[in-house]
Amino acid sequence: MPCTVYDDLRTFQEVTGCQQVTFLLNGLMDSSAPQFRQLVQQVGDELGINVSVIPIGDSVEEVISQIPEGTDAVYVGAAYHLPDAEFDKLVRYSIDQKLPSFSVMGKADVSRGIYMGLSGDDFFDRTARRAALNLQRILFGEEPGEIPVAFSLGKRLSINMTTARAIGRFPTWAILTEADLISEKREDISRQLTLAQAIREAMTANLELMVQDYAVQAGAQDVKNAWSNLLPHVDIGAAGVLIDDDRAAASFGQQAEKSLTGSGTLTQVLFSEPALANLSIQKKLQIARTAERELKRLDIALAAATAYLNVLRTKTVERIQKDNLKLTRSNLEAAQVRDAIGVAGPAEVFRWEAEIANSRLAVIEGNSQRNLAEMELNRILDRPLEDPFKTIEADLHDPELLLSYERLFHYIDNPWTFDVVRDYLVERGLENSPELKQLDALIDAVKRRKTSATHAFYTPTLGLQADVSQLWWEDGEGTEGLDLGEQMPFSFPAADDNNWSVGVNLSFPLFSGGAKQAERIQASRELQRLEIQRASIADQIEQRIRSALHIAGASYAGIGLSQSAAQAADQSLNLVLNAYGQGSVSILELLDAQNAALVGNQMAANSIFNFLNDYMQVQRAVGAFDILRTPAQNLEDLEGLEKYLYDNDALPKQ
């Protein structure tokens, strides 16, 4: 047996809490060593498990029919004699019945769908190799009794996560940090994200960006409202009037007792400086709102890129911590062998057990950080916070991600061209900056406001108004006109039922209590404030661009150095591991080498993510993300950079 039944069943119980286990024993072993049944029953009694032993022949159907009611777990013995199709039936049965299964063969069977196992996948190779080496030593004349037989079995808890999800039995955090997880990545996740896709999706799904979109749409109506003050206004109405009869009779036909009249009024501003100024100001404010939306768009693109890279970073750190835990577990096994043969004492074993505890904590922390990073990205993309997704590793050769970095960074690998590149990108950044465009629009709006405040001292408001009315119906007293008979030599002209009038009015507020002067002074001071603020923002943008370029240049150069350091640390660790196994170095030397390799691998992985993040910061500072532009636009920018370099003698003339 690759490992003891006691260790297997104890581990099986710790993970699943099983109480009724069906033990499927190889039929040949059952017939050749009938006492093994008794051993299994005895182990079950010691662990408080009710074990039912069933021999495995050639038919899995026959075995399945014998599994007793109430079984809550299945232990599969060495079933290497079963054809693949029969073994697959056994796996399918355990999954369909939601029964956790354990294989004595360990990882090999776990990879085929068994829930868990405890031995490694190279046990037989290692055992055969050790037996061959010991036999060789005996043939060379060594005393067999003096040859050490202790060696690490390489036990590893393996868990098939696809099976775990199928049967709904998930191991605890503590077990997950120890186990070798088969099919850890979920295959049922259809959602897949690249860095470029994350940025693009954020442009359409982010809620903060939607807020800015609606702000721009609402602001467009302010412009329409300003236009309305300069366009004709038409009002229509109707009035029904009832007056007392004696007053109607005394009106000599001018006002009937009962009447119904319709009317219409047209007003048109012919000239109004405040209305013209308001229209111009609202147009400028709309430009400012559009620039603010572009500013938010760039910020969201950077946030999406940063969040995605942070997901990749935390996943990498988690993987490195898991690898380090596996190495620490291997070192513990080596220490146990050293203790068994007298090369080291139990203190060394305890030290590695403490390291394992610390490494498990690091793995759990890494998992937590990855979950937080994934939730942050989902929030930016307006997805359910724990909606799962697959990521695609970003590298330096992704043509969609870094459309221009290779040519760009070719020019920053020396201080001479790098200096000119910074000047060029500062010019581009100031030209593209939505912050400056927003301030420019606000400055223009305040300038127009100041001009209007000055014109208010001498410009009037000119308007036109036309009215028309028609008497639709009248009744009662006063409906007849004044009748003077035939004695009068003349007659009064009779007015019809239609009335109209047209007038032009001119108004000028002669004195407004000092409000005109206050408005002009306020606009002047506001203009000065915005102009100073623009100069300050321009300085900040220039500093941000230059700083981002310096940082990105340094992180780009550090990629190769970090990778070289990691390779050297790994090579050193391998040498120390071999020496430790031979008993020629101490545990402290191995711990130092292992920590150096851990730090080196983390730094090497982080160096790429640091550069990608720094490069995104450069694009944000310049105000243009490659991924949000067309290839033609990016190529045009690169050609502009090269022309700028030629014009400033930073490149040799062709």
Side-chain angles (χ1 to χ4, degrees):
M1 297 286 288
C3 56
T4 65
V5 174
Y6 182 87
D7 287 342
D8 285 355
L9 287 177
R10 183 185 60 182
T11 303
F12 199 19
Q13 186 181 46
E14 288 177 355
V15 175
T16 65
C18 57
Q19 297 296 322
Q20 303 285 333
V21 176
T22 295
F23 195 109
L24 304 182
L25 179 62
N26 185 292
L28 294 176
M29 178 176 289
D30 186 45
S31 59
S32 61
Q35 69 275 13
F36 193 74
R37 278 183 176 243
Q38 183 179 357
L39 172 63
V40 172
Q41 297 287 355
Q42 182 180 348
V43 170
D45 292 340
E46 292 180 15
L47 295 173
I49 301 175
N50 184 12
V51 179
S52 301
V53 180
I54 299 176
I56 306 177
D58 296 330
S59 172
V60 169
E61 295 290 345
E62 182 179 350
V63 172
I64 291 175
S65 66
Q66 299 179 53
I67 295 178
E69 291 287 338
T71 295
D72 60 6
V74 176
Y75 182 105
V76 182
Y80 44 77
H81 66 290
L82 282 178
D84 290 346
E86 291 297 304
F87 186 85
D88 291 342
K89 286 182 182 179
L90 183 59
V91 171
R92 188 72 261 163
Y93 168 80
S94 65
I95 292 176
D96 291 342
Q97 298 299 316
K98 307 295 183 183
L99 293 176
S101 54
F102 187 105
S103 173
V104 70
M105 303 300 292
K107 189 174 181 179
D109 283 354
V110 172
S111 299
R112 299 174 63 183
I114 292 294
Y115 177 57
M116 61 179 290
L118 193 55
S119 65
D121 55 0
D122 61 347
F123 173 80
F124 291 108
D125 292 340
R126 297 174 67 185
T127 303
R129 184 167 56 249
R130 174 55 66 93
L133 291 173
N134 288 346
L135 180 59
Q136 183 184 47
R137 294 172 67 175
I138 293 172
L139 293 175
F140 285 163
E142 288 191 42
E143 180 64 33
E146 296 179 358
I147 298 176
V149 295
F151 73 101
S152 173
L153 292 176
K155 290 184 179 180
R156 290 288 188 276
L157 176 62
S158 302
I159 297 178
N160 190 309
M161 293 306 296
T162 298
T163 302
R165 288 187 282 268
I167 67 176
R169 301 293 289 268
F170 298 98
T172 63
W173 286 111
I175 293 172
L176 285 174
T177 59
E178 286 280 6
D180 185 3
L181 304 181
I182 309 299
S183 302
E184 181 179 7
K185 294 183 179 180
R186 291 175 54 181
E187 299 299 327
D188 60 333
I189 300 176
S190 59
R191 181 184 170 210
Q192 180 171 287
L193 279 178
T194 65
L195 177 52
Q197 288 171 341
I199 295 175
R200 291 196 184 102
E201 186 174 331
M203 295 300 96
T204 59
N206 183 263
L207 296 180
E208 295 178 53
L209 195 53
M210 289 184 185
V211 170
Q212 293 298 323
D213 288 338
Y214 282 112
V216 171
Q217 295 173 25
Q221 305 310 308
D222 289 339
V223 177
K224 291 184 178 181
N225 285 335
W227 264 114
S228 70
N229 294 327
L230 297 169
L231 298 176
H233 286 206
V234 177
D235 299 312
I236 60 174
V241 178
L242 173 64
I243 63 175
D244 55 286
D245 55 356
D246 56 338
R247 185 155 58 93
S251 69
F252 301 106
Q254 299 300 308
Q255 179 65 58
E257 180 183 353
K258 303 172 184 177
S259 64
L260 179 62
T261 305
S263 64
T265 302
L266 168 69
T267 57
Q268 170 66 58
V269 173
L270 300 178
F271 177 80
S272 173
E273 169 58 25
L276 292 170
N278 182 49
L279 175 60
S280 178
I281 289 170
Q282 291 302 327
K283 288 180 178 180
K284 301 300 181 183
L285 292 179
Q286 182 65 1
I287 293 174
R289 281 187 285 266
T290 303
E292 186 177 3
R293 178 182 60 183
E294 179 62 21
L295 175 62
K296 176 60 69 173
R297 185 169 177 265
L298 293 174
D299 288 341
I300 294 301
L302 177 61
T306 302
Y308 188 91
L309 291 172
N310 198 34
V311 170
L312 296 184
R313 186 196 308 272
T314 53
K315 288 179 66 176
T316 301
V317 170
E318 182 183 15
R319 176 183 55 78
I320 292 173
Q321 292 291 358
K322 286 182 178 180
D323 291 342
N324 184 65
L325 176 58
K326 292 179 182 179
L327 178 60
T328 304
R329 171 62 67 182
S330 177
N331 291 337
L332 171 61
E333 294 170 357
Q336 290 170 338
V337 172
R338 284 160 58 94
D339 180 36
I341 63 178
V343 176
E348 194 164 303
V349 175
F350 296 148
R351 178 63 184 273
W352 282 117
E353 289 177 346
E355 286 297 316
I356 285 179
N358 292 332
S359 297
R360 292 171 70 180
L361 287 174
V363 170
I364 294 174
E365 176 66 20
N367 180 270
S368 173
Q369 292 301 316
R370 175 177 60 82
N371 290 333
L372 294 178
E374 290 175 347
M375 285 195 295
E376 172 64 10
L377 180 58
N378 276 329
R379 183 195 65 80
I380 292 173
L381 302 183
D382 190 31
R383 292 274 192 166
L385 292 184
E386 301 205 33
D387 189 22
F389 58 88
K390 295 180 182 178
T391 56
I392 304 299
E393 293 295 325
D395 58 39
L396 303 184
H397 304 289
D398 186 340
E400 187 178 32
L401 169 62
L402 303 176
L403 299 173
S404 61
Y405 100 90
E406 288 183 334
R407 289 174 65 176
L408 173 63
F409 279 82
H410 174 71
Y411 299 125
I412 69 172
D413 61 357
N414 66 81
W416 295 277
T417 56
F418 188 23
D419 185 56
V420 181
V421 167
R422 292 197 302 274
D423 291 339
Y424 171 76
L425 291 180
V426 166
E427 288 187 11
R428 269 199 62 209
L430 294 176
E431 179 182 349
N432 293 336
S433 170
E435 295 100 322
L436 295 184
K437 290 178 181 178
Q438 182 182 22
L439 283 170
D440 287 340
L442 293 176
I443 288 172
D444 289 343
V446 174
K447 283 182 178 179
R448 186 63 182 89
R449 176 185 163 197
K450 179 183 177 183
T451 300
S452 179
T454 302
H455 289 171
F457 285 95
Y458 53 83
T459 55
T461 297
L462 182 64
L464 177 145
Q465 179 171 323
D467 295 289
V468 61
S469 64
Q470 185 180 54
L471 179 63
W472 291 340
W473 172 80
E474 62 180 0
D475 192 19
E477 295 293 336
T479 56
E480 299 294 334
L482 178 63
D483 185 7
L484 298 178
E486 297 179 357
Q487 295 86 354
M488 296 296 295
F490 61 88
S491 63
F492 292 100
D496 61 17
D497 293 337
N498 298 318
N499 296 307
W500 62 269
S501 65
V502 177
V504 176
N505 60 72
L506 180 69
S507 65
F508 178 76
L510 185 62
F511 181 70
S512 57
K516 296 180 183 179
Q517 182 68 11
E519 176 69 14
R520 184 172 63 174
I521 294 175
Q522 184 185 47
S524 297
R525 298 298 179 265
E526 180 68 11
L527 180 61
Q528 291 173 334
R529 182 187 71 82
L530 289 174
E531 288 174 340
I532 294 173
Q533 183 179 357
R534 188 193 189 284
S536 175
I537 294 296
D539 289 342
Q540 294 176 36
I541 292 172
E542 178 175 357
Q543 180 187 18
R544 188 167 64 205
I545 294 172
R546 294 183 183 276
S547 298
L549 281 166
H550 280 294
I551 294 172
S555 61
Y556 182 70
I559 293 175
L561 298 176
S562 299
Q563 292 175 341
S564 297
Q567 291 173 0
D570 285 339
Q571 292 172 350
S572 174
L573 175 60
N574 289 332
L575 293 174
V576 176
L577 279 171
N578 291 331
Y580 181 74
Q582 297 171 4
S584 57
V585 299
S586 67
I587 183 176
L588 294 179
E589 291 175 280
L590 178 55
L591 281 171
D592 288 341
Q594 184 173 337
N595 288 333
L598 175 63
V599 172
N601 286 324
Q602 288 180 337
M603 292 184 64
N606 283 336
S607 65
I608 296 178
F609 298 128
N610 288 340
F611 165 70
L612 292 175
N613 188 69
D614 293 339
Y615 184 64
M616 293 298 163
Q617 293 285 351
V618 170
Q619 295 186 74
R620 170 60 187 89
V622 175
F625 280 89
D626 288 350
I627 196 61
L628 299 179
R629 293 158 56 86
T630 65
Q633 290 174 318
N634 290 313
L635 180 60
E636 181 182 353
D637 285 345
L638 285 172
E639 291 173 347
L641 168 61
E642 291 171 350
K643 182 179 183 303
Y644 189 89
L645 291 169
Y646 285 126
D647 293 343
N648 288 272
D649 300 323
L651 291 178
K653 302 295 183 182
Q654 296 290 333

